[in-house]
Amino acid sequence: MSQDTLRTETKIGVWGLGYVGLPLAHALAQHFPTVGYDINAQRVEEILQGIDHNLALSADDLKLHSKITYTAEADVVKVASGSTEATADKVDALYKTIITAGTHRAGSIKVVEAAKVIENTQRDLNIALVNELTILFEKLDIDTHEVLRAAASKWNFLENPQVYVSSNLVGFVNVLDACRYNEVEHLVYASSSSVYGANTHMPFSVHSNVDHPLSLYARRKKANELMAHTYSHLFDLPTTGLRFFTVYGPWGCPDMALFKFTRAILAGEAIDVYNFGKHQRDFTYIDDIVEGVIRTLDKIATSNADWDSDAPDPATSKAPYRLYNIGSNGPIELMRYIEILEQCLGKTAEKNLLPLQAGDVPATYADVDALIADVDYQPDTPIEVGVARFVEWYREFYAVD
């Protein structure tokens, strides 16, 4: 492609028309068709009128480069706060008049700014630096959990797969490199039952092929397993991947089903029940997961002398590499899971029955024979006990009746 063709056919998008974005957009507009985006529609309108309160460009500069096109980007959540509660209310209310995706209320301006750093760092594909930053925030007396919640509120990874996949894959390579150069004795990492994807033979076995993922999350976890094997082969780094099956319990992620169901039921709100409640999941209590992690950590992965490249076992290798399922080995239907939660809460849920979500699977069921054989362990917390413990913790942590 010639340079002239490149300049006529290429369109440049610049997101964020601030001190850097606005001059950059205008510089690019001298050579390429350029679109400048900003989350604030009022700011876009002012720029079109030759007004720039940030003083990145003068009114004459704005008029000079009339080739640039401006538009407002209002479908990304805005994290809002203020120096006082009243100011925060005003900021939040203002954003809600501009932004269609809504707002995430943060406890302080420090949290807002820290969330921006985390979000941008994650989008720049450096998970290791995110971890370092969270440690720094703790030292600066900034609530790290609140920062991470604020940063996470910004992006829907189903709609932004490039950010999601690249960030996690590069992050895992950073972990592998850190283990390699620091001569780590054994890396145990979290994989997922989602890697079984389109497989229907139950129970799911680590010795089965998993080349048909149904979601980007599953694809990423499968890729992590393959990268771990590569490092095990090239650098003799012992790695063990643990395929977790539907982990639940205290201190989990607030966006997980059990948290959402509990909050909604206590608030008298309806819950969304996908696949009309006919899902089957091998729910695994968090304490069982922790026990499995500790036991496999002590069982350093070794090479399998009997591994045959003509009939390769996906769960082992000539390299020091292992895969295990950690699940309860007893699937429970989602509707039964909700029924147990209702009993523990003493309330009945109003249910919105919905079809299967894209990328989801109707059932999971863990074959844990390899886990039993190698580390003498099988998760055994009954679902009734696990949910009851969660509800007890939830009431205490969130101070609700």
Side-chain angles (χ1 to χ4, degrees):
M1 182 182 292
S2 70
Q3 190 173 26
D4 289 340
T5 303
L6 179 67
R7 289 185 175 180
T8 57
E9 295 186 1
T10 301
K11 180 174 284 189
I12 304 295
V14 177
W15 274 260
L17 302 174
Y19 286 108
V20 176
L22 187 57
L24 176 63
H26 279 266
L28 291 169
Q30 297 179 58
H31 306 287
F32 303 98
T34 302
V35 180
Y37 295 87
D38 198 280
I39 202 166
N40 189 329
Q42 182 179 349
R43 173 163 173 72
V44 171
E45 183 60 31
E46 289 174 344
I47 292 172
L48 289 171
Q49 297 172 12
I51 302 169
D52 176 24
H53 295 298
N54 286 338
L55 302 180
L57 290 176
S58 68
D60 289 340
D61 290 331
L62 288 171
K63 292 174 184 176
L64 181 63
H65 303 305
S66 58
K67 290 183 292 183
I68 193 167
T69 303
Y70 297 104
T71 186
E73 177 82 3
D75 60 354
V76 178
V77 171
K78 183 69 175 178
V79 180
S81 187
S83 56
T84 66
E85 193 70 17
T87 303
D89 289 340
K90 291 179 180 179
V91 171
D92 192 59
L94 174 61
Y95 280 137
K96 285 178 177 174
T97 66
I98 301 169
I99 299 164
T100 58
T103 62
H104 176 94
R105 183 69 169 268
S108 68
I109 295 176
K110 288 195 300 184
V111 169
V112 175
E113 295 305 314
K116 289 179 184 177
V117 175
I118 288 289
E119 180 210 351
N120 290 329
T121 304
Q122 186 171 12
R123 288 162 60 196
D124 288 339
L125 317 181
N126 193 335
I127 301 302
L129 181 56
V130 169
N131 292 336
E132 293 177 13
L133 287 169
T134 57
I135 295 172
L136 174 62
F137 294 152
E138 291 287 358
K139 291 182 178 179
L140 295 175
D141 195 28
I142 302 175
D143 187 335
T144 299
H145 294 292
E146 187 179 2
V147 170
L148 294 176
R149 284 196 299 271
S153 73
K154 299 275 288 181
W155 295 99
N156 180 330
F157 290 125
L158 188 60
E159 297 172 1
N160 296 276
Q162 293 84 3
V163 174
Y164 182 48
V165 175
S166 298
S167 178
N168 283 281
L169 293 182
V170 175
F172 190 65
V173 170
N174 288 340
V175 171
L176 289 168
D177 263 342
C179 291
R180 169 194 173 192
Y181 289 114
N182 289 281
E183 299 181 351
V184 168
E185 186 176 7
H186 186 202
L187 169 64
V188 176
Y189 61 94
S191 187
S192 166
S193 61
S194 66
V195 299
Y196 290 104
N199 289 21
T200 56
H201 180 74
M202 301 284 180
F204 291 149
S205 170
V206 289
H207 304 296
S208 298
N209 180 286
V210 289
D211 285 340
H212 297 85
L214 297 181
S215 66
L216 288 172
Y217 177 76
R219 186 183 82 171
R220 190 257 293 182
K221 287 297 189 182
K222 166 70 172 175
N224 285 353
E225 292 179 357
L226 295 175
M227 288 190 291
H229 180 267
T230 301
Y231 272 69
S232 294
H233 169 74
L234 292 175
F235 309 114
D236 202 34
L237 171 65
T239 66
T240 296
L242 303 178
R243 292 174 177 171
F244 297 158
F245 279 70
T246 316
V247 184
Y248 73 99
W251 302 102
C253 296
D255 63 347
M256 307 232 8
L258 188 56
F259 276 80
K260 289 182 175 180
F261 289 167
T262 301
R263 187 202 64 77
I265 293 172
L266 289 174
E269 300 170 357
I271 62 174
D272 291 336
V273 181
Y274 291 97
N275 200 29
F276 307 103
K278 299 184 184 300
H279 276 89
Q280 288 191 337
R281 289 290 182 269
D282 209 339
F283 293 103
T284 311
Y285 188 62
I286 182 60
D287 288 8
D288 293 338
I289 292 289
V290 171
E291 179 67 21
V293 170
I294 292 172
R295 293 202 183 204
T296 53
L297 186 61
D298 290 338
K299 177 76 174 179
I300 297 176
T302 58
S303 62
N304 178 3
D306 297 325
W307 193 82
D308 183 359
S309 59
D310 291 329
D313 173 15
T316 65
S317 173
K318 289 285 188 184
Y321 173 84
R322 284 290 189 277
L323 293 173
Y324 296 105
N325 288 333
I326 299 188
S328 62
N329 192 233
I332 302 290
E333 189 171 80
L334 178 58
M335 202 60 85
R336 171 58 182 156
Y337 187 62
I338 295 171
E339 181 182 295
I340 295 169
L341 177 60
E342 290 173 327
Q343 292 170 356
C344 293
L345 293 172
K347 286 190 167 188
T348 301
E350 179 185 345
K351 306 172 185 70
N352 294 326
L353 299 179
L354 302 168
L356 188 69
Q357 284 182 296
D360 211 345
V361 296
T364 63
Y365 182 5
D367 179 335
V368 293
D369 287 350
L371 188 70
I372 295 171
D374 287 0
V375 300
D376 190 28
Y377 181 65
Q378 176 177 351
D380 58 3
T381 301
I383 190 72
E384 294 83 0
V385 173
V387 172
R389 288 176 182 170
F390 169 81
V391 169
E392 181 181 3
W393 169 85
Y394 187 97
R395 290 185 186 278
E396 181 179 354
F397 185 82
Y398 289 101
V400 294
D401 296 326

